[in-house]
Amino acid sequence: MKNLLYPNFSTALRRSVLTLSMLLAAFTAAQAQNFEVSLENDSTFNAAEDYARTSEGFDVDISKINVVNVGLQLAQDLIDATANDDGIVHGLKNKSYYRQRADLMLSSALPERTNVYSIISFINNESGNAESIVTVTNLEVEHFFNTNFKFRVGRLVNSVSESQFFGRIALEESSAHVYGRKIFVNDAIEFDGSFKKKGGPSFFIGLKPVFKDLNLKAVYAGIHQQLPRHTQVAAIVSVNRQFEADMTKYIPTFKGKDAYFSYEAEASFKGPTTTYFLNAGGNLGFTGVIPHTGGNFDFLKQMAPVVTDKGDSFRETFTTAAGLRIRPAKLWPSLKWLAQAGLEGEVQGALTDRFTALNLCAYLKVNITRRLVLTYYCTPQFIWQYYNADKPSYTGGLVNFLRLSVTVGKPSRMFL
């Protein structure tokens, strides 16, 4: 299971200095303009739904120039993990914790076809080692040439997969889905295009830098095509680079730099009341820790599943998932309080005899009101592994996640 926070979020402010400078420059250029702050109500808004077009459109009204949209979400989280082996549970950074979170969301359409988005998160963990974090979750400048083409730079979000839970692998571990959200987060420069109005695909092409010593981290490209009868397909491919400083802790003999290829494809049906999907992905020419094992509540992380032979990377990193999501409130008026319910399953190691991991996720989103939402995730894991003699050959565990959140204003993007 992915971490509740974006991986390496503790370094987010340092890594976003360049983007923040660009954002400030954009506002400075428009300082002679008159700005309006908008916190208006919307009777159609529902905080239990996702609102994020990201690479496929605009998440602000581009006809309203210099209107700053403000949104705030406050959340209380409870997380608890159990397993059949006490050693596995004790190996987690925290078995359970209570957390408060506040997300301040600002967005605006500026003059000369430029939009800005930002989400600043304030997080307080009460988990034995109390930890307070201020981090940049989303910070991007978006410039469009017309309604079909634009480029974006900063800490970007993309919504491609229909999966609500699982970290996908095409944009490598540091950009995988965040726990409980169907988005990717990545620091990048990206060009987006869309032919949806003519029945064609949407696409995006991006470059990912690494900031420790400024260098190229990855090149990626994605495509999304809507088909008749509410069906759609999506694919992402990337070439990712690895650096000695990051890899020697897994493979001591690793020297210099290396590169590998990642892929992911998904087919889905997305109707007004029901969504289901099937996707698969993996790495080629890869060495290192297998994808989607780096979260704070990933039991498989403790088994250290490292790929040491590039020839084994296809079999050992191949991951497939399927899921179903329904909106009971739209199906049955008597259940208007039940906004979403879903079940997803993921299999890792299906093509190798070293390990097999089955991850499940059942979730509910309940509208106490349209802005006060109760979210629950139940995420069992079942792991069979035969390569680490210091760990049990079978591990069964469960993580429960409960969130109570309230949203003020109308965020332009709602995926929190």
Side-chain angles (χ1 to χ4, degrees):
M1 285 167 284
K2 288 304 298 173
N3 193 344
L4 285 161
L5 304 179
Y6 174 73
N8 297 323
F9 257 1
S10 60
T11 64
L13 291 175
R14 175 178 60 83
R15 302 175 99 188
S16 300
V17 169
L18 180 61
T19 306
L20 182 58
S21 299
M22 296 184 65
L23 180 61
L24 292 174
F27 275 107
T28 301
Q31 62 184 353
Q33 305 291 326
N34 294 319
F35 279 88
E36 173 187 340
V37 177
S38 175
L39 235 167
E40 64 183 18
N41 191 18
D42 185 341
S43 61
T44 65
F45 177 76
N46 188 337
E49 295 291 342
D50 298 307
Y51 301 98
R53 282 171 288 191
T54 64
S55 62
E56 291 197 319
F58 306 116
D59 287 319
V60 293
D61 186 346
I62 60 176
S63 67
K64 297 181 178 179
I65 304 298
N66 290 340
V67 175
V68 180
N69 306 292
V70 181
L72 177 67
Q73 179 177 255
L74 305 174
Q76 307 283 325
D77 297 341
L78 289 169
I79 301 96
D80 181 70
T82 59
N84 67 330
D85 186 280
D86 290 339
I88 294 295
V89 175
H90 293 154
L92 298 175
K93 182 179 180 181
N94 297 295
K95 175 185 175 182
S96 61
Y97 63 83
Y98 167 62
R99 185 183 72 176
Q100 306 92 34
R101 177 179 182 127
D103 296 283
L104 175 63
M105 295 156 275
L106 303 172
S107 61
S108 181
L110 301 179
E112 301 179 358
R113 302 190 302 275
T114 299
N115 305 323
V116 292
Y117 307 91
S118 71
I119 301 177
I120 310 298
S121 299
F122 307 86
I123 303 158
N124 180 47
N125 287 342
E126 299 294 341
S127 54
N129 298 320
E131 181 181 13
S132 297
I133 301 172
V134 179
T135 188
V136 178
T137 308
N138 177 215
L139 180 60
E140 67 182 75
V141 177
E142 173 183 82
H143 179 78
F144 59 95
F145 306 100
N146 51 47
T147 57
N148 295 324
F149 299 100
K150 62 182 178 179
F151 74 82
R152 303 189 293 156
V153 60
R155 174 149 291 175
L156 311 181
V157 294
N158 269 325
S159 181
V160 178
S161 173
E162 287 302 318
S163 174
Q164 178 80 15
F165 170 74
F166 293 116
R168 306 305 332 139
I169 53 184
L171 294 183
E172 57 91 22
E173 189 75 4
S174 69
S175 299
H177 285 181
V178 180
Y179 185 86
R181 307 176 193 165
K182 54 189 226 46
I183 60 167
F184 292 107
V185 178
N186 61 313
D187 297 324
I189 301 171
E190 185 178 289
F191 177 75
D192 304 328
S194 177
F195 301 97
K196 292 180 66 174
K197 294 180 180 178
K198 297 183 179 180
S202 301
F203 67 88
F204 53 90
I205 302 171
L207 300 176
K208 289 184 57 177
V210 60
F211 294 98
K212 290 176 293 185
D213 294 312
L214 188 61
N215 210 323
L216 179 65
K217 174 67 173 176
V219 179
Y220 63 90
I223 190 168
H224 178 265
Q225 174 68 65
Q226 291 185 337
L227 301 173
R229 301 181 183 275
H230 301 293
T231 58
Q232 54 190 10
V233 293
I236 304 175
V237 295
S238 64
V239 177
N240 303 283
R241 303 178 74 199
Q242 298 171 307
F243 301 90
E244 182 176 334
D246 301 320
M247 294 298 296
T248 50
K249 58 184 176 182
Y250 306 116
I251 304 176
T253 58
F254 189 98
K255 300 295 181 182
K257 304 179 182 68
D258 202 357
Y260 66 92
F261 176 78
S262 294
Y263 65 93
E264 179 183 348
E266 177 173 289
S268 61
F269 170 90
K270 186 177 182 180
T273 59
T274 306
T275 299
Y276 50 87
F277 71 90
L278 175 66
N279 63 27
N283 295 339
L284 300 174
F286 169 80
T287 58
V289 178
I290 68 167
H292 190 192
T293 60
N296 283 349
F297 291 94
D298 261 310
F299 298 124
L300 188 59
K301 180 180 181 180
Q302 300 179 53
M303 313 327 184
V306 176
V307 180
T308 57
D309 187 337
K310 290 186 176 182
D312 295 332
S313 61
F314 172 75
R315 293 185 295 106
E316 297 202 350
T317 65
F318 181 79
T319 304
T320 185
L324 168 70
R325 178 169 65 252
I326 62 173
R327 293 173 172 81
K330 295 182 178 181
L331 281 171
W332 304 288
S334 61
L335 294 179
K336 63 180 181 180
W337 51 270
L338 186 52
Q340 289 189 41
L343 176 65
E344 303 188 10
E346 177 183 70
V347 179
Q348 298 168 281
L351 303 182
T352 179
D353 56 7
R354 285 210 308 154
F355 66 92
T356 302
L358 173 62
N359 304 315
L360 300 175
C361 174
Y363 57 90
L364 298 172
K365 290 190 176 184
V366 176
N367 280 118
I368 300 174
T369 69
R370 288 184 297 105
R371 295 179 175 272
L372 183 62
V373 178
L374 182 66
T375 304
Y376 172 66
Y377 288 89
C378 177
T379 55
Q381 289 184 296
F382 307 95
I383 302 167
W384 297 264
Q385 64 88 22
Y386 311 102
Y387 60 90
N388 190 334
D390 296 331
K391 299 295 180 180
S393 58
Y394 167 74
T395 299
L398 176 70
V399 177
N400 290 291
F401 168 64
L402 188 68
R403 164 174 287 185
L404 181 64
S405 62
V406 61
T407 303
V408 180
K410 183 184 178 183
S412 297
R413 290 175 172 173
M414 188 66 195
F415 45 70
L416 301 172

